[in-house]
Amino acid sequence: GNSVTQMEGPVTLSEEAFLTINCTYTATGYPSLFWYVQYPGEGLQLLLKATKADDKGSNKGFEATYRKETTSFHLEKGSVQVSDSAVYFCALSDSNYQLIWGAGTKLIIKP
Amino acid sequence: EAEVAQSPRYKITEKSQAVAFWCDPISGHATLYWYRQILGQGPELLVQFQDESVVDDSQLPKDRFSAERLKGVDSTLKIQPAELGDSAMYLCASSLGLFTEAFFGQGTRLTVV
């Protein structure tokens, strides 16, 4: 079946460092891909999305490109802030109406 | 901006009691999800509706959990009887359908004592 694999956390960085959180997927067909963010004590928020190959989703300085050849959707940010500390989830939506989730990656940014 | 509404935000109940959660999805969203999330973990799908029909309840503990979406709009998730291990965040989400993102409510934090 379809699946999503994320890099394990926690990922700890200093403020202004470059961020990459890896996400790869297994799916038949052409799923849509998403990154969600969950701040402490809050619900899940959509961060960005991409619906077809080579699409780049972007929001709040974060970017991710839908790479069909490598089945990847890595999340990147050029300069992280303390306020970016959260848990990040990669997910896909497939042709069976299923939403498949990665395990989440906790990001800790130190000042 | 349209939101998914959930109530209550917090619920404390004694074990063996019944508890119910309510969710009102974004208007026009045919797909509705109920998730359970334990602190530090990812969301676990309990049940998924397409309009009023259940399309996936394979992870729903059916001996104690039930869910309904009678008119294909709002939904209720019930636990009876509640157990200590049910303490978690219960999240409702909705989406337009195929290949679209899900929008989440703020969740209900359940504590069973």
Side-chain angles (χ1 to χ4, degrees), chain A residues 32 36 38 49 93 97 101, chain B residues 35 37 42 48 98-99 101-102:
Chain A
S32 295
Y36 283 81
Q38 188 171 34
K49 67 178 181 180
S93 178
Y97 293 90
W101 294 87
Chain B
Y35 287 93
Q37 187 178 29
Q48 179 179 338
L98 269 181
F99 304 119
E101 66 271 31

Side-chain angles (χ1 to χ4, degrees), chain B residues 11-24:
Chain B
K11 181 70 178 179
I12 300 174
T13 191
E14 294 183 347
K15 64 180 181 179
S16 79
Q17 295 298 303
V19 63
F21 314 127
W22 176 80
C23 173
D24 190 11

Side-chain angles (χ1 to χ4, degrees), chain A residues 74-85:
Chain A
H74 304 322
L75 183 68
E76 297 182 336
K77 186 175 185 182
S79 177
V80 292
Q81 306 300 314
V82 172
S83 58
D84 293 326
S85 297

